[in-house]
Amino acid sequence: MSKLYQPIQIGAVRLDHRIVQAPLTRLRSEQPGDVPSAMMVKYYAQRASKGGLQIAEATPVSVQGRGYLGAPGIYNDAQVEGWRKVVDAVHAKGGIIFLQLWHVGRQSHVSLTGGAAPLAPSAIPVQDLVYTRDGWVKTSPSRALETVEIKEIVEQFRQGAIRAKAAGFDGVEIHGANGYLIDQFLQDGSNKRTDIYGGSIENRTLFLLEVTEAVTSVWGGERVGVRLGPSGTFGSMSDSNPDALFGHAAAQLNRFGLAYLHLIEPRIDGSKLRADGLPPVAAHQLRRVFKGPIIAAGGFERDSAEAMVESGDADLVAFGRHFAANPDLVERLRRNLTLSPHDRDTFYGGDERGYTDYPCHDDLAEVA
């Protein structure tokens, strides 16, 4: 049997297999209010599998943390109730689901933040795009956080963790990748601070560690994961020494006894495969540093996923676009069945098309 289908213990959670649904931003929450919708309940239930892990999409911990219209939140009671319906549907199929806690930082627009300037470690102009009622628009100019405000955002992550527990999730993942706020603090291309959160690698890692401390105070480390994107460039990101930075971050995270470290391989830029065909190397590098389970994500196919776990570089593999188009992906990979192609035009926002209308393989066979 492929190692992909061998059970594994990650922290307090036992999984029946090692195929993970990656957190996918799909922008289908109810508006206004960012409340998880009935469509979302169906979507996650379709993709749930017995003993399988789903990481729910990036979810802002505050209004100021929003960056994409339609992303569900976890900062009020209505959102908790909406998420509870999603969680209950996944649990009904024997699945396990973590919530990804998110703050976009400078990747936002004043129409999403209640008119306030987006927050960042440093007020560095960027020309990235975010999703608003007017479609994809350039980010609004950001402002640098005051030192005291950083503690307030740490508390927002803690409150998000509390609300995720109230919604019934099995754990949470801290989003520290893809050019969002935690990543902005980590990388020196976006962090030019001169206080305790800037300068040295140790200082730039501090915000990540404080957020992790706050979240594990709610859940315990055994039900918390962290997602990092070593060498990620999405969101105008860069660092002068990414190997040293992310090696230090991974080593420091060992102190929390995390359920897992979730790594985006550098061959991914945003949600797209890079054209230069880079191999997966992040998990291989950080396996020497991080002591707990590792999830690798980034353009994997069945064969490359099996090779990854067989090599020991990662313990689990997360799939994104394949899960979007194949609600029964776990079974298709198990039986080596043909995968349905995804429609990138329906990834962000919209209705059921390209979201909950993808059929399972056996349903296609019955139609044929």
Side-chain angles (χ1 to χ4, degrees):
M1 177 187 292
S2 166
K3 196 171 181 180
L4 279 176
Y5 290 95
Q6 293 180 8
I8 185 172
Q9 187 80 26
I10 58 167
V13 177
R14 182 172 174 80
L15 303 175
D16 289 351
H17 60 79
R18 304 178 184 213
I19 296 167
V20 178
Q21 181 179 337
L24 300 172
T25 297
R26 303 302 306 275
L27 308 182
R28 258 63 169 207
S29 68
E30 294 178 0
Q31 296 301 315
D34 297 339
V35 176
S37 64
M39 269 195 299
M40 289 174 57
V41 175
K42 183 177 181 181
Y43 171 81
Y44 281 102
Q46 287 175 334
R47 287 154 181 79
S49 62
K50 182 179 180 298
L53 175 62
Q54 294 171 283
I55 306 171
E57 61 209 85
T59 303
V61 295
S62 68
V63 172
Q64 190 76 48
R66 301 171 74 218
Y68 299 84
L69 184 71
I74 191 66
Y75 49 84
N76 64 41
D77 292 344
Q79 293 161 353
V80 170
E81 291 304 311
W83 275 121
R84 184 177 288 115
K85 296 174 184 177
V86 173
V87 171
D88 288 347
V90 169
H91 286 168
K93 293 186 67 174
I96 295 156
I97 185 166
F98 279 36
L99 181 66
Q100 190 184 67
L101 303 174
W102 188 32
H103 193 300
V104 302
R106 70 186 186 184
Q107 292 285 99
S108 193
H109 188 270
V110 292
S111 66
L112 299 167
T113 61
L119 303 175
S122 305
I124 298 173
V126 293
Q127 296 296 317
D128 297 309
L129 300 179
V130 292
Y131 192 70
T132 71
R133 293 193 184 281
D134 297 320
W136 293 96
V137 303
K138 291 181 179 179
T139 56
S140 298
S142 62
R143 72 167 177 85
L145 282 155
E146 300 292 337
T147 304
V148 67
E149 293 178 302
I150 296 172
K151 303 295 185 183
E152 295 171 0
I153 295 178
V154 171
E155 176 61 17
Q156 290 170 2
F157 273 95
R158 192 181 75 87
Q159 291 298 323
I162 291 171
R163 289 192 172 93
K165 180 174 280 192
F169 282 96
D170 299 292
V172 293
E173 176 178 287
I174 298 166
H175 196 346
N178 294 124
Y180 299 118
L181 186 61
I182 292 175
D183 205 14
Q184 291 161 29
F185 271 91
L186 288 171
Q187 300 203 45
D188 59 19
S190 51
N191 185 345
K192 306 298 183 183
R193 300 181 71 90
T194 58
D195 63 1
I196 61 171
Y197 292 96
S200 68
I201 285 175
E202 291 77 11
N203 285 4
R204 286 183 277 124
T205 309
L206 182 58
F207 179 57
L208 165 66
L209 299 179
E210 288 183 344
V211 169
T212 307
E213 179 73 40
V215 171
T216 56
S217 75
V218 175
W219 281 93
E222 67 275 6
R223 289 187 180 271
V224 175
V226 171
R227 195 180 212 208
L228 298 177
S231 302
T233 59
F234 179 77
S236 303
M237 299 302 295
S238 65
D239 190 79
S240 60
N241 192 348
D243 288 348
L245 168 64
F246 287 99
H248 176 77
Q252 292 301 307
L253 288 171
N254 282 324
R255 73 176 75 162
F256 299 104
L258 298 176
Y260 62 82
L261 179 63
H262 187 179
L263 298 173
I264 304 172
E265 294 293 340
R267 59 181 174 164
I268 293 296
D269 184 8
S271 63
K272 298 180 181 179
L273 276 169
R274 285 169 51 159
D276 49 15
L278 286 173
V281 295
H284 176 74
Q285 292 172 342
L286 294 181
R287 168 61 85 191
R288 295 171 292 178
V289 178
F290 186 70
K291 305 305 182 185
I294 289 178
I295 301 175
F300 285 97
E301 303 294 339
R302 181 178 186 272
D303 290 346
S304 57
E306 289 185 338
M308 176 60 87
V309 296
E310 290 291 346
S311 73
D313 286 342
D315 303 283
L316 308 96
V317 176
F319 291 84
R321 67 193 190 282
H322 284 326
F323 253 118
N326 298 271
D328 57 338
L329 180 64
V330 173
E331 189 61 23
R332 291 199 196 204
L333 295 180
R334 188 193 304 271
R335 294 161 59 187
N336 201 18
L337 301 172
T338 300
L339 302 183
S340 298
H342 61 272
D343 179 6
R344 183 171 291 276
D345 290 340
T346 61
F347 274 6
Y348 304 111
D351 53 22
E352 292 86 354
R353 289 170 294 179
Y355 190 59
T356 58
D357 62 347
Y358 285 108
C360 294
H361 180 273
D362 291 348
D363 293 335
L364 284 170
E366 289 178 5
V367 172

